[in-house]
Structures are given as structure tokens and as C-alpha cells.
Amino acid sequence: MIILYDIPTSVSESRDWSPNVWKIRLVLNYKGLPHKTQWVDYPDIHDLCQARGIPPGGRKPDGSSFHTVPIIYDSKTLCYVSDSLQVAQYLESMYPNRSLFPVGLNAAILSFEDLWLDKVLRHLFPLMILPVYLKLPPASQKYFRTTRELRYKKKLEDLAPLQEHPRLWDQVRRGLDSMSRPMDANGKEKLFWFGNKITYADVVMVAWLLWVKRTLGTETSEWRNILSWNNGRWGKLMRHFEQWEFVDNPSRL
Ligand SMILES: N[C@@H](CCC(=O)N[C@@H](CS)C(=O)NCC(=O)O)C(=O)O
């Protein structure tokens, strides 16, 4: 059995939201690997890792490291693994069925997240930080506000003032345009980054889009817009991945 550590929201019926954890949940679900989520609040991640000797998964701009989820514990190997890419590669090497890192594509897949970060994520961050904060339980909220306000040198409420939203969402739209263009070159009807074959690059895109979906909600105009952009490309991708969008077992969304 595999344990997947994740940070909960305060909403008991939909606790999952963390994009980095969703990458691994999607990999586990895609590969059909049984697992169970263990919830841990932000301020407790450090102690958990210290106690179990789990290496840090995050790096601050000053170069120092910090502990992060996702973390998995695999009872088959008695191993803890942290950092989403390392976990994904570990799962690929231990459980190679339904490969997400096809031979010959490793370099392209490993560098994919930097591209996605540059084109899309950096525009999404300011828009998402406050909505994420509002969903967290009090202990995580306090930690999140302190660490993020230190990182961004702004109050969370000032990261994306309402009057700036149209401009910021337009940047997100243009970022997604620039990801859609190379995908269109594979063929407009092809759903995945490498055309017909699902890889970890698609998992990365879907996990970050799930972050938006689960944080803002499916009824928001922002989410509906994303689904419709680029001739519905993102909507089609998300619909395809719905079969792996569950927490722990397929009956729990
Ligand atoms: N490089 C790490 C980054 C993971 C990460 O930043 N996780 C966030 C949750 S989405 C976290 O645990 N942050 C802990 C903190 O901010 O103290 C990965 O890809 O797994």
C-alpha cells in the first residue's frame, strides 16, 4: 500500500486542492496503484519530515530548502519519497506498467514543467493565492499567510486587486494560447502534449488546472472560460482525465 501525504482544505467533503499532490494522485490513479491519502496541515509538514528523515522538496529564492508535499510512503520498499517529479519517477521505475515517461521523451518531459511555469503558472499564482488561503483551515491559514506575505512582500489581499483581474486573466489566456499552438501543430484534434500518447507532461497540465477548478469552483466564469479557450482544448483534456480524478478510490471524487 502507498500512503500519499496531502494538505487538506477546511471543507471536509472536498479536502484536496494541492496541484503538486494532484500530479501524484493522477499518476497513482492512472497506473491503478492502490493508495490512501494522509492529511497533514501546512505547519506540520516540517515535523513529519524531520521525524521520518524525509528530504526537503522545495527551494526558496535564496537557495535554502523547505519541506513540501507530495510525499509518498511505499510499504513495499519501506521508502519515503518527496518532490513531485522524484515521486513520479520513483513510481515509474517501481511500477512501469502504463508508462508516463516513454523511452526517448525523458528530456522533453523533465523540462516541460519549466515551460508551463513560464507560460501559464506565473500568471496564475497572484490570482490563486488568496482563494487558496480562504479554503485552508485556521492552522494552515496562519502559516500560509506568514510565508506567502514574506515571499511576495505584499499582503495576500494586495496580490491581485479585483480591478486587475481582467488584465491578469488575459495573461493566463495568452499563456494557454502559447501552450495550445504547439499542441495544434500535432493536430488540432490531438488531446495530449505529445499527440496521441498520455505522458507526465499532460499530468502536470491537468494537475495545475485542477488546482484552479477545485479552488475557484466549477460554476465560476473563470473556470468556464478556461474550458472554452483554444476551441475547447482544455475542456477536452480535463474531461479525458476525469476518469483519474478521484481521491483514494473511484467512488470518491
Ligand atoms: N518541488 C516540489 C514543490 C511542492 C510544493 O511546493 N508543495 C506545496 C504544496 S502544493 C507545499 O508543500 N508547500 C509547503 C510550504 O509552503 O511550506 C514538488 O514538485 O513536489
Side-chain angles (χ1 to χ4, degrees):
M1 174 66 114
I2 292 170
I3 305 288
L4 173 64
Y5 290 87
D6 193 1
I7 303 164
T9 67
S10 59
V11 188
S12 57
E13 58 280 7
S14 63
R15 286 189 281 187
D16 54 286
W17 66 275
S18 160
N20 288 300
V21 177
W22 260 108
K23 290 179 219 164
I24 300 311
R25 185 171 284 120
L26 288 171
V27 171
L28 291 164
N29 290 345
Y30 179 81
K31 285 180 175 284
L33 297 172
H35 61 280
K36 185 156 173 35
T37 302
Q38 180 82 45
W39 302 100
V40 50
D41 287 322
Y42 263 110
D44 301 328
I45 299 174
H46 179 78
D47 288 351
L48 168 84
C49 293
Q50 289 283 82
R52 319 259 159 109
I54 303 166
R59 202 157 282 285
K60 296 180 190 164
D62 68 5
S64 61
S65 56
F66 63 105
H67 292 289
T68 56
V69 295
I71 297 161
I72 61 156
Y73 174 72
D74 187 350
S75 61
K76 187 170 153 190
T77 56
L78 309 180
C79 270
Y80 284 95
V81 190
S82 56
D83 185 74
S84 53
L85 183 57
Q86 304 241 20
V87 178
Q89 290 180 297
Y90 166 88
L91 292 171
E92 181 73 16
S93 65
M94 289 302 298
Y95 307 98
N97 278 354
R98 292 177 61 74
S99 170
L100 287 163
F101 292 84
V103 177
L105 292 183
N106 267 290
I109 294 173
L110 297 195
S111 53
F112 178 81
E113 196 155 16
D114 283 342
L115 177 67
W116 178 252
L117 176 72
D118 182 52
K119 299 291 182 198
V120 181
L121 284 188
R122 68 190 174 94
H123 303 304
L124 264 178
F125 278 125
L127 286 159
M128 295 296 294
I129 297 289
L130 185 61
V132 164
Y133 167 81
L134 293 173
K135 296 204 98 173
L136 294 173
S140 282
Q141 272 189 333
K142 190 162 177 279
Y143 175 94
F144 192 81
R145 181 180 283 284
T146 312
T147 53
R148 273 40 180 190
E149 291 187 348
L150 204 65
R151 185 180 303 172
Y152 296 112
K153 299 183 177 53
K154 272 190 185 172
K155 282 195 72 68
L156 299 187
E157 287 73 5
D158 296 336
L159 281 170
L162 217 52
Q163 67 274 19
E164 292 282 302
H165 278 211
R167 184 182 62 80
L168 294 170
W169 277 109
D170 198 51
Q171 286 180 337
V172 175
R173 185 186 56 73
R174 280 187 280 135
L176 285 171
D177 283 351
S178 60
M179 298 304 290
S180 183
R181 271 192 297 276
M183 292 172 89
D184 285 349
N186 285 332
K188 283 199 195 292
E189 73 298 346
K190 299 276 166 57
L191 286 189
F192 312 119
W193 183 253
F194 290 102
N196 288 326
K197 169 83 187 117
I198 294 183
T199 67
Y200 187 67
D202 304 298
V203 168
V204 168
M205 292 194 285
V206 171
W208 285 105
L209 291 175
L210 278 174
W211 178 48
V212 181
K213 173 181 174 183
R214 299 185 93 77
T215 305
L216 300 185
T218 50
E219 299 312 318
T220 53
S221 55
E222 290 84 356
W223 179 244
R224 284 165 187 258
N225 285 341
I226 290 179
L227 295 184
S228 70
W229 287 339
N230 305 116
N231 295 317
R233 168 176 287 297
W234 310 108
K236 285 179 219 151
L237 181 66
M238 295 309 285
R239 261 194 302 285
H240 190 85
F241 267 79
E242 273 172 10
Q243 57 194 304
W244 304 297
E245 189 188 330
F246 56 84
V247 176
D248 293 351
N249 65 65
S251 60
R252 277 183 59 199
L253 279 178

